[in-house]
Each structure stands twice: as C-alpha cells, then as structure tokens.
Amino acid sequence: METQPPDALADGEPRALDPRSIQVERLGGWIFTAIVGAILLVALGIVVLTADGMPAWLRRLLPFVWLVVTILLAWHAHRWPVLAYRHTSYRVDALGIEIRRGVFWRAAIHVPRSRVQHTDVSQGPLERRYGLGTFVIYTAGTDHAKVELSGLEHGVALRLREHFLPSGDADAV
Amino acid sequence: MPSEQRLHPVTLLFDIVKHLRAFALPALLLWFGASSGGPDGRFSRLPTGWESWLLLLLVPAVAASVVRYLTFRLQYVGRELVIRSGLLFRNERHVPFARIQNLDAIQNAFHRLLGVVEIRVQTGGGTGDEARLSVVPREAFDEMRRRVFEGRSGAPAAVVGDDFVPERPAPTARTLLHLPLREVLLCGFLENKGLVVIGAAYGFAWESGVLNGFWSRLFGAETYGGGLFRDLVGGVIEGQGLPFVAAAAAVAGLTAALLLVRVVSMVWALVRLYDFRLTRVEEDLRVEFGLFTRVAATIPLRRVQTITIRQGPLHRWLARASVRVETAGGAGADAGNLRDREWLAPLIRLSALPALLDQVVPGLDMNAVTWQPVHPRAFRRAVRPGLLIAGLVTFVWAVTLGWSAVPMLVISLTWAVISARQYVRHLRWAEHDEGVLIRSGWIWKHVTLARANKIQAVSFRQSPFDRRLAMGRVRVDTAGAGVASHRVDIPYLDRTVAAQLADRLAVQAASTEFRW
C-alpha cells in the first residue's frame, strides 16, 4: 500500500457497473434463449412425429407451449440484465471492496484487502467486443473462495487489479 | 545443510499389500462369477489356471510403486520442503514451511510394529494433501516436525534465505487434556456414532453379498427384513387397533436396537479415540489418539480458524462438552480423518473448559461475553418455513393416504411452532475483540467463534422474506469450513443492526493483519 499512490477508485463511493454490460448480458441471454429454443423445437418435432398415441388436442397444444416458453425466456433475457444492473454496485476503499448484488435475494459481500490471495482479470469474447472485463478476487475462504465482479470497463478492472495487488508477503491464512 | 532423505524400504511392502487389497475384491468377484458360470459358462473356453494370470494386472501398479520408491527424495532446503519424485515425469515440489498448515502422522498397527509413519502435509490451498509421505521412519517425522514448526512462535511467518536451522533442545510438552478409558467410553456413548458404523457395515455386507439369505436364516421367511414393524404401522393406519403383543415386541426391539447402537458407538470411540491426548508444545497443539491406528496431528495455534463448543442434552446433564477447531488445511478432503483430527477435546468437563479455551484463544472468557438476541419478531419469520413444510407434507399424506393425515397435521404444526420458538429463543450472537460468536440450537447447542484475523469475507444478505420484515443475516466466511460445520451465520437480525455488524466485522477483519 505504501509503495503505490492510492487509486482514485478507492474513494469509498458506491459505483455502478459499465452500462454496456447490460448489452453484453442481453446478448448472452439471447444466445442462451436461441440454443434452448432450438433444442426444445427439435425435441418437440421428434415427440410430435413419433408419438402415435398422442391425443390430437395435446398435439396442437405443444407448439403453443414451446412458443410461450421461448417468449418468456426471451423476455427474461431482455429484462433481467437491466434489473440486475440496477441492483449491482461496488465500493472500494483502502480497507477492501464491498460488492452488492441480487434482485430478489440481495447480498453485500465485503472482502478485506488483506485477505486477497490473488486476483484475475478475464475477458470473454462478448466482453472483449465491448471492451469490458471481469475482475475476480480469490480468498482463502470457503463460500467466497472466488468473488467475481463482471461488467466492468476493462481499464477499470485492470486498475482494481493494481489496487488489490498483495501489499506484502504476510500470510493471511 | 541440505540433507537428503528417502522413503523407508518397507514402503514397498505396504504398497504391494495396498495394491493386493484393492485388487482382491474385484478379482474374487470375477473368480466367483466365472466359476458359477459352470462348465459351459463364458469363461470355459479359457485355459485352466487362467486365474493366476489375473495377477499380471498388478504389475503396472507395483512397477509404479518401485519407481516411486527409488526416485523419491526429500530435502530440507532453507525454509522449504523439497520433494522430488518420478522417472519419466520428473516432479519437484517446493513447500515453504510457512505455508504448511498441518503436519499429520498416521500410524496403524503394522506401521507401529515396524517403527514407521505415514506423513501428510497440508497447506491452505486445494482440497487434498499437499504431499503424502508413505512411509518414513518415525525419526524422520520428528525431524520434519522440528524443522517445520521451529522458530515460528517469535519470528515472522516468512523468513527467506535462512539456510541454517539451529538445533534447539526439544521443547517441553504440556498436557492440556488426557482422556482416561472411562471418558473415552462415555464420549462414545454421548456421540452416538453407532448408527454410522452399523450403516457402513451393513452397506459393505450388502454390497459384498454376505447378507443374502442372512435375514431369512435369522428370522425365518415370514418376518423378512423389518416386515413386523411395517405390518404394525400399516395396521394402525388402517384403523385395526394396536395388537398389544406385537407393539410390545416392537418397542422392546427398538430399545434393544438403540442400546446396540450406543454400544457400537462406544466400541468405535474405544478404537478411534483410545488414549486421547492433547498437548501444547510452544505454539503448537498436538493431538494423539487411536487404539490400532495412532494418529498424531499437529495444529499450530495460529492456524486455528474457528472454534466450536458442542453440547447435547446428555452432555449438559453430565456437565461435559466437546470442542473442535477448524484449520485451513485440506478442506473437505478425506472427511472422516480430518474431522476427527480437528477434535480438540472429544469430551471435556465444563470446569476444565475455560482453561482449554484460554490456551487456544487467549483472552476469550465465555462468561464475560455479552450475548445479544436476534430480532424480536424473528419467531414470525422463523416459523413460516416449518408451517409451510408441515402443510405440504400433510397435503401429500392426505391425498395419498386419506384422513389419517389430520393427527399428523396437528403433530407437525405443533412441532414446527415449538422448534421455531425454541430455536429463536436460544439464538444469540456476540462481538468480541477476538472475533464474532454465534450460539444456536436448543437440543444440541453449538457455540462457534470465528477469529477476526481469520475472517476472509463478510456478507450481509436479505431474502425477499427478510426484506418484508426489515431483517437481514450476516455470514462470516473462514477458510477450511466443512459442509456440515457450524458456521457463523447469524439470521433474523434487524436490517440496520445486520448491515452495521457486517461493516464493523469487515473493518475489524481488514485491520487485523497476520499477527504472528
């Protein structure tokens, strides 16, 4: 801590994620929806074509069920990232980081800086296209052995990594 | 002065026996399967005496053991343990002393006969053992223990480039707890491990087919496998009234079974915990126990993450408790052995408890702790899941079995209300300079302390139900917590109290660096 000037990020103010993360999450959700929808469609086709003893009303109903499920998934993929974005924030100060998230089940996770074992900054293909990154903290804990914060601007994630570089070789276990 | 050590030559013997043991069961099954096939069976075309060729399958395993034995080298370089092994795939592993969480020695009866031990080295990372030295002479373990844990008490954890480890006189060991035979048996009686042992034995017997025909030979064909009890319950449900003789027999049988379970549990304790001894050597706790397999474990005091005191109803009646600690090494691995290793005191008199706690966490006085209750409306929040489950179970029961579900509903609702009320009434939490404490349970009571300097993360959580009642919970994450361990996870707190507690704990954790 003494060897580097404190980052401007470490001001103890709550920050939101990069708004572009909504778009990334949506893209991911749509891809998921497309895959699940396609698989369900194939399954539906097989069932309708092979099951002979099926009553006619069920045969007509099944495509509607598929349509409703797919629309619900798509709506969820479109809507959920906005809600999740609204309920996610992080706060960094000299002592550590606090991450808040969760729409229905909410959690605020504090990780003291002195307990950080090591950190990662990762970028998936979608994130790379939008210049975003995921900051990952590893602790020696059990539930929170790995704490991820995705949807950050890549530069911010790198700055966070700098801030959380271990300050000494003290052994926090 | 780096000295090189090898495994003890009897390693080969133990390895071969181990392979043979692993090999024996499948080979036997195959053999039986083949012979039961008869002269026209699937194996009849093989030349006679083919069974002995099965032994060829052992060759790769034995060869691997020989290579491991011949190439294995252990060195102490500076303040590191260097282990080399492998012929084609060379493997060199450096384990800094400072990273070693625990050093265990396991010695079964054969090991003891030959004066060797199996050493397990555990570090904070990963789930398994960092290194397993099987087997080395007893003196090698003493030397390793001396080198690894020496000079830890005063010096900082990481001393680099110190090539010379000074020879010190052997430090004196102070016995903190020793369980005489009577206490060991009592511990077995109270812990009630019998069901586990019986279950495991039954499972093994069933797997290996020993049980086929056993029940019918024992009871005759009519009362096959618990049919008596089933008939009895069925009769009551169908409203035939209680057949008195059968009921008495069932009660007697049940009592006998419960007693048997307790006796088996006492035998378990005798074998596992015989001559349990907890000693303190400088800054380390050493635990030794076992009748046939002696386990000698070293728990450095500064590696203690949480400490849990547990009391069942019989414990309270006899003024006893059991104490265990959690360390960071090898979380989740080899659960049985580890759980027993972390038993600081399987059974201790309440009068001796403060002295023991003072050794592990100096300054912790349980009587001076100011316990705080949870939210006043916690009962309302706690009782709901129980009521819901009771309702669901009754509903399913009513649909499948009919009106006999009504008394069931009454019983389960009463139980849900009583248990929720008792649970909330006994739920307490406290803050302390040393960390945070939680006390929970009303039949089995648990008190757990998570040390502030071992808190890895603190989370404040709210479910939708919590938010409706302005509540929240605080969960403290430490290293090495098992799935079944009693965690510091305080539910039903007032929202602001919980948020502030989480903040305070995070600050307290952040401001305690590694102190030793």
Side-chain angles (χ1 to χ4, degrees):
Chain A
M1 211 158 100
E2 292 78 22
T3 53
Q4 54 184 337
D7 197 288
L9 277 171
D11 53 2
E13 289 299 316
R15 280 165 208 279
L17 299 176
D18 193 299
R20 286 173 295 177
S21 67
I22 298 176
Q23 202 52 40
V24 171
E25 289 294 314
R26 272 185 184 162
L27 272 174
W30 285 334
I31 291 172
F32 177 78
T33 305
I35 292 173
V36 171
I39 292 174
L40 285 180
L41 191 62
V42 170
L44 178 77
I46 293 173
V47 167
V48 168
L49 289 180
T50 55
D52 296 327
M54 194 189 282
W57 61 268
L58 192 61
R59 202 181 286 262
R60 251 169 263 149
L61 183 69
L62 275 179
F64 285 103
V65 173
W66 175 81
L67 199 65
V68 169
V69 167
T70 311
I71 288 175
L72 276 178
L73 271 176
W75 180 79
H76 178 265
H78 186 77
R79 191 75 194 110
W80 187 260
V82 181
L83 290 174
Y85 174 81
R86 235 179 259 160
H87 287 100
T88 307
S89 69
Y90 65 98
R91 199 164 61 82
V92 182
D93 57 22
L95 289 178
I97 186 168
E98 179 194 328
I99 298 172
R100 287 177 181 273
R101 62 172 146 226
V103 177
F104 292 118
W105 272 265
R106 294 189 189 156
I109 303 160
H110 304 251
V111 181
R113 192 158 169 255
S114 54
R115 300 299 190 269
V116 175
Q117 296 282 327
H118 60 278
T119 55
D120 274 355
V121 171
S122 67
Q123 259 189 321
L126 282 178
E127 286 179 317
R128 198 154 49 228
R129 244 191 90 183
Y130 284 83
L132 299 181
T134 298
F135 178 56
V136 189
I137 300 172
Y138 294 88
T139 72
T142 319
D143 297 337
H144 300 298
K146 185 179 177 187
V147 182
E148 292 189 40
L149 184 60
S150 59
L152 295 166
E153 195 204 320
H154 191 234
V156 172
L158 292 177
R159 273 164 69 194
L160 281 178
R161 183 175 68 182
E162 286 300 310
H163 180 67
F164 279 95
L165 280 182
S167 52
D169 54 359
D171 171 9
V173 181
Chain B
M1 45 183 121
S3 64
E4 209 172 59
Q5 293 186 2
R6 309 176 53 161
L7 294 177
H8 195 278
V10 295
T11 299
L12 279 176
L13 188 68
F14 279 113
D15 269 8
I16 289 170
V17 170
K18 195 175 76 191
H19 295 319
L20 272 178
R21 240 170 43 188
F23 177 72
L25 195 63
L28 271 180
L29 287 180
L30 188 61
W31 191 67
F32 277 124
S35 58
S36 66
D40 303 322
R42 201 176 306 151
F43 295 88
S44 57
R45 265 173 291 143
L46 292 167
T48 46
W50 61 273
E51 291 91 346
S52 50
W53 288 96
L54 281 178
L55 285 174
L56 270 184
L57 295 175
L58 270 176
V59 170
V62 173
S65 290
V66 173
V67 168
R68 191 175 77 97
Y69 168 68
L70 288 178
T71 56
F72 194 96
R73 296 285 185 281
L74 168 72
Q75 269 183 316
Y76 302 99
V77 180
R79 298 200 50 83
E80 275 187 342
L81 201 65
V82 182
I83 297 167
R84 290 194 188 84
S85 66
L87 187 67
L88 295 176
F89 300 93
R90 299 256 169 107
N91 185 5
E92 183 173 316
R93 179 171 288 183
H94 291 247
V95 187
F97 290 168
R99 291 284 172 200
I100 294 179
Q101 302 282 338
N102 310 300
L103 210 54
D104 290 2
I106 312 241
Q107 206 178 18
N108 66 29
F110 298 107
H111 288 147
R112 243 186 302 169
L113 213 61
L114 295 164
V116 293
V117 289
E118 178 181 332
I119 302 181
R120 291 180 188 177
V121 182
Q122 289 169 349
T123 62
T127 53
D129 301 323
E130 189 71 28
R132 188 178 284 213
L133 280 67
S134 164
V135 291
V136 294
R138 174 85 210 180
E139 303 81 57
F141 174 63
D142 293 333
E143 185 189 351
M144 183 186 287
R145 185 151 73 171
R146 205 189 64 235
R147 283 178 185 260
V148 169
F149 293 121
E150 192 172 48
R152 273 193 170 183
S153 45
V159 179
V160 196
D162 178 10
D163 214 23
F164 176 68
V165 178
E167 299 280 330
R168 263 202 248 167
T172 50
R174 198 147 38 96
T175 302
L176 301 181
L177 180 74
H178 176 242
L179 290 189
L181 187 60
R182 199 176 64 104
E183 293 285 302
V184 168
L185 290 178
L186 185 62
C187 172
F189 186 76
L190 296 180
E191 281 300 325
N192 204 2
K193 290 270 183 181
L195 220 52
V196 180
V197 177
I198 290 180
Y202 189 87
F204 178 75
W206 191 80
E207 279 291 316
S208 56
V210 173
L211 278 184
N212 291 351
F214 171 76
W215 283 115
S216 47
R217 214 175 306 150
L218 195 64
F219 294 116
E222 289 83 43
T223 49
Y224 177 77
L228 176 67
F229 197 67
R230 202 171 51 216
D231 288 348
L232 196 65
V233 175
V236 173
I237 287 173
E238 285 155 25
Q240 290 172 355
L242 210 58
F244 188 74
V245 180
V251 168
L254 213 60
T255 317
L258 284 179
L259 270 177
L260 178 72
V261 165
R262 294 279 169 172
V263 170
V264 171
S265 179
M266 284 159 82
V267 174
W268 168 86
L270 182 68
V271 172
R272 196 84 184 102
L273 297 175
Y274 178 76
D275 195 24
F276 184 96
R277 194 178 288 275
L278 174 75
T279 51
R280 178 171 176 164
V281 182
E282 294 187 339
E283 291 302 306
D284 298 331
L285 293 176
R286 290 190 188 167
V287 188
E288 274 194 55
F289 54 86
L291 181 61
F292 300 118
T293 300
R294 285 298 278 179
V295 177
T298 307
I299 305 170
L301 274 175
R302 63 201 185 90
R303 301 297 196 199
V304 171
Q305 314 282 323
T306 62
I307 177 164
T308 299
I309 303 161
R310 187 159 146 274
Q311 267 196 316
L314 289 172
H315 284 95
R316 284 197 289 281
W317 186 53
L318 295 166
R320 302 283 205 285
S322 78
V323 182
R324 49 165 95 241
V325 294
E326 252 157 23
T327 56
D334 205 354
N337 259 335
L338 263 174
R339 300 299 293 170
D340 288 340
R341 190 176 61 70
E342 294 179 341
W343 232 339
L344 223 53
L347 195 65
I348 186 171
R349 283 171 202 277
L350 283 187
S351 53
L353 188 60
L356 178 69
L357 288 182
D358 194 51
Q359 291 285 333
V360 183
V361 189
L364 177 66
D365 180 5
M366 280 294 175
N367 296 323
V369 169
T370 46
W371 293 103
Q372 316 224 34
V374 290
H375 197 284
R377 285 197 305 275
F379 170 69
R380 264 177 57 187
R381 168 86 177 73
V383 78
R384 278 177 199 172
L387 292 184
L388 194 68
I389 290 171
L392 275 177
V393 169
T394 317
F395 179 73
V396 172
W397 187 307
V399 166
T400 52
L401 288 171
W403 287 109
S404 64
V406 174
M408 188 59 200
L409 179 67
V410 175
I411 294 172
S412 58
L413 285 187
T414 318
W415 174 251
V417 170
I418 290 177
S419 66
R421 185 168 290 285
Q422 290 294 324
Y423 176 74
V424 167
R425 185 176 291 167
H426 287 88
L427 193 60
R428 292 282 188 280
W429 60 279
E431 279 180 279
H432 193 271
D433 293 341
E434 288 294 328
V436 56
L437 295 107
I438 183 170
R439 195 178 85 188
S440 75
W442 54 289
I443 298 176
W444 281 86
K445 287 185 179 175
H446 291 83
V447 178
T448 293
L449 166 77
R451 312 186 70 175
N453 49 7
K454 302 297 178 194
I455 294 175
Q456 299 290 337
V458 183
S459 60
F460 160 59
R461 285 160 193 277
Q462 282 188 300
S463 73
F465 315 105
D466 282 332
R467 277 189 287 137
R468 258 183 61 193
L469 291 167
M471 291 186 194
R473 74 192 301 151
V474 172
R475 188 183 292 177
V476 169
D477 195 22
T478 54
V483 183
S485 45
H486 188 241
R487 312 274 300 266
V488 177
D489 184 359
I490 314 166
Y492 316 134
L493 291 171
D494 181 76
R495 184 175 50 203
T496 44
V497 170
Q500 284 166 4
L501 175 66
D503 279 340
R504 276 200 307 274
L505 287 178
V507 171
Q508 194 184 0
S511 53
T512 49
E513 284 285 342
F514 194 61
R515 284 194 308 186
W516 291 275

